[in-house]
Amino acid sequence: MLNIYKNLVRPEENVLTVSYNLLKILKVKVTRASIKKVLEQHPHYPSLLSVTDLLNHYRVENITVKLNLDRIKLLRQPFLALLKWKDAYTGYYCLIKSVFETGVLLLNSNTGRSEKYTWDEFEKLFQGIVLIAERDDLSGEKNYEIERRKELKNVSTTNLLLLFAPCLTIFVGVYSFNTTGFDKNILPFIYSLLSLLGIGTSSLLFWFEIDSSNKVLLEVCGGENNNNSLNCGAVLKSKGSSFLGVSWSVWGTTFFLSLLFGQLLNGFSNTDTLQYLTIFSILTAFYIPFSIYYQWKVVKQWCRLCLAIQFILFSQFLITVLSSSFNSTFLFSSPGLSWHGVGIFAGIGILCFLLSNQILNLLHTGKSDKTKLNESMRVKFDPLVFDSTLKRQKAISISTEGLGILLGNPNSKNKIVKVCNPYCAPCAKMHPVLDDLLGDIGDLSVQILFTASTDHKDERAKPVKHLLAIYEANNEELTKDSLGDWYSASEKNYGLFAEKYKVDGDLNNQTEKVDKMHDWCKKMNIEFTPTIFFNGYQLPETYNITDIEYFLKS
């Protein structure tokens, strides 16, 4: 059950699973959350292209080739292979951990287990495509330790939320055993465990409404077993799958949550609590034959999760009517119900119902938005769309030759012009992105222009002149270092910067260069910084500097 919830709370596509495990086995330091983010933002996710671009992003050398089985037998490093799934038309990626004389050891991303296949078995599944990758010293995620701590915090928070109700139930049960006796509390405790199981099963139904393609749920519901009689979807999407316009999954989750927390808050095994539970169980017992009849005669399909709910309800009903702890006879002899207890059950029920319904609506909306985002990303990153959009933007009409600082390959066909302000925070955030692009893309030049003027009141002039003087010394590495230090400093202190990067000559010698840049900015009507031009055109508002990396590498 915990493994099911792990996959529900953090569901993974096949491509995400194999990518993470490949990087893990190659000992590349990268977080699962970062991999998920990079992959899902890729316009062609979950294709093999998204995997190769992911590996390129983390500086992992890779190649995709078509190999026959004889060549596969010679491979010694881990690799990804495209295999057939349960039918001949569907493929999935699988991590081949090692090759040995009689077959292969692979990590089945559908089960999460390592499995051995003989060469004959593997040949029946193998579709001829492999991806081979190899790490080096530069491979990995920047700020890995920081991102890893964030991920661990998020995972821990999720696990604590999932374990809260089970741990609280066990704690209250053990406490009750020690204070009021085992015999008196054992059946109420079992009843609470059944409520807990009901919450888990109802939430699976709840999740099925949101993600009916989830591989874990399909496995539970028998959706991929070619069994015509087992189909959760047929039952949950039928006309009788709701009551008063609200799905039975919401009613079920609300009901079992109310039972559990009402029992815990009202008193684990006091007389009033047991009376309420008996009433609820007798009333819901009438739902059991309705649900079974509806699946059997109306839909003519069986939902495993629905049957599990009926079994839980029936078990709770048996406990209340057959056990001396609940003693259903007091239903007709009790002087009346406690309004305090009724209020607790009613309050919990209303709160759980509103929350469950709202969460379902939000998750539906979130999934719809995610689908729309994926579609828009595919359009956005279509090279023809980008090129068309780019060429409708403002073009560079005045030459930038000889202006500012030019880094990278001066003869490159890919040119970025960044117009910035040395004291501009967004400019500072953009600088390391450009620096990374220069390190990753050989065919790229980045020209940095400044909006500073020679007015004696303009505080931007001093650092700009200083940076230009460093660049004039024909030392590109020192220029990169000085730019990096200036923009990475939390507080821009020109005095400290000038002390660290001393230059020969009078900085006023750079005045003419500053004037030319300032004149260029005025004529080009630069209205804000940073302003980015790519291959002669201003970058459209719908794109940012990190998007350029995709077009440069594709």
Side-chain angles (χ1 to χ4, degrees), residues 434-451:
L434 289 171
D435 197 41
D436 287 344
L437 283 177
L438 282 170
D440 294 341
I441 310 294
D443 186 21
L444 176 66
S445 70
V446 175
Q447 188 171 10
I448 302 173
L449 308 183
F450 296 96
T451 56

Side-chain angles (χ1 to χ4, degrees), residues 481-496:
D481 290 343
S482 60
L483 282 165
D485 279 357
W486 175 262
Y487 278 122
S488 64
S490 56
E491 183 179 348
K492 304 294 186 286
N493 188 317
Y494 173 68
L496 293 176

Side-chain angles (χ1 to χ4, degrees), residues 2-12 36 154-155 157-159 161-162 204 207 214 216:
L2 286 177
N3 188 51
I4 291 174
Y5 272 91
K6 174 188 172 184
N7 285 282
L8 286 175
V9 176
R10 296 185 291 274
E12 292 186 354
K36 181 179 175 70
N154 291 335
V155 171
T157 301
T158 302
N159 290 338
L161 289 173
L162 287 175
L204 292 180
W207 204 270
N214 186 288
V216 178

Side-chain angles (χ1 to χ4, degrees), residues 195-438:
S195 297
L196 196 61
L197 186 59
I199 293 170
T201 309
S202 296
S203 61
L204 292 180
L205 287 168
F206 188 91
W207 204 270
F208 192 90
E209 287 194 47
I210 302 159
D211 186 11
S212 57
S213 62
N214 186 288
K215 63 184 182 181
V216 178
L217 291 176
L218 288 174
E219 196 68 29
V220 171
C221 291
E224 293 185 342
N225 292 334
N226 297 320
N227 188 334
N228 292 329
S229 65
L230 287 174
N231 191 335
C232 288
V235 178
L236 297 175
K237 294 176 183 178
S238 65
K239 291 182 179 179
S241 62
S242 63
F243 178 66
L244 299 178
V246 179
S247 69
W248 281 113
S249 63
V250 172
W251 288 115
T253 305
T254 300
F255 176 73
F256 287 113
L257 281 170
S258 302
L259 290 186
L260 179 64
F261 286 101
Q263 187 178 4
L264 295 177
L265 294 175
N266 258 329
F268 198 72
S269 58
N270 69 45
T271 303
D272 286 338
T273 299
L274 299 181
Q275 186 176 11
Y276 303 135
L277 297 180
T278 303
I279 293 172
F280 296 145
S281 292
I282 290 176
L283 291 175
T284 54
F286 293 100
Y287 173 71
I288 299 173
F290 161 76
S291 178
I292 293 175
Y293 176 82
Y294 184 80
Q295 294 176 68
W296 178 30
K297 291 295 185 180
V298 180
V299 184
K300 297 181 180 179
Q301 301 276 337
W302 294 103
C303 168
R304 284 178 175 172
L305 294 174
C306 302
L307 292 175
I309 292 291
Q310 311 320 317
F311 174 78
I312 294 167
L313 291 174
F314 184 69
S315 299
Q316 289 184 319
F317 170 73
L318 285 180
I319 288 176
T320 59
V321 298
L322 299 179
S323 70
S324 59
S325 296
F326 285 81
N327 191 2
S328 59
T329 58
F330 71 78
L331 280 173
F332 309 101
S333 59
S334 176
L337 298 175
S338 163
W339 286 108
H340 175 264
V342 171
I344 289 179
F345 273 105
I348 293 173
I350 293 171
L351 180 62
C352 291
F353 175 80
L354 294 175
L355 285 175
S356 299
N357 208 36
Q358 185 65 20
I359 289 171
L360 183 63
N361 292 333
L362 289 173
L363 290 174
H364 271 305
T365 303
K367 185 179 180 183
S368 176
D369 289 346
K370 184 178 178 181
T371 301
K372 291 177 182 177
L373 176 63
N374 289 339
E375 292 173 352
S376 67
M377 290 288 282
R378 287 189 175 91
V379 174
K380 177 181 177 180
F381 284 95
D382 185 312
L384 294 177
V385 173
F386 174 68
D387 189 60
S388 174
T389 306
L390 181 68
K391 290 182 178 177
R392 291 199 299 267
Q393 307 305 306
K394 180 168 67 176
I396 294 178
S397 56
I398 304 170
S399 174
T400 61
E401 186 175 353
L403 299 180
I405 296 171
L406 182 63
L407 303 173
N409 180 2
N411 300 315
S412 170
K413 65 179 181 180
N414 297 307
K415 302 181 186 297
I416 294 175
V417 175
K418 174 191 177 188
V419 185
C420 58
N421 173 348
Y423 290 97
C424 162
C427 297
K429 291 180 180 179
M430 185 177 289
H431 182 78
V433 179
L434 289 171
D435 197 41
D436 287 344
L437 283 177
L438 282 170

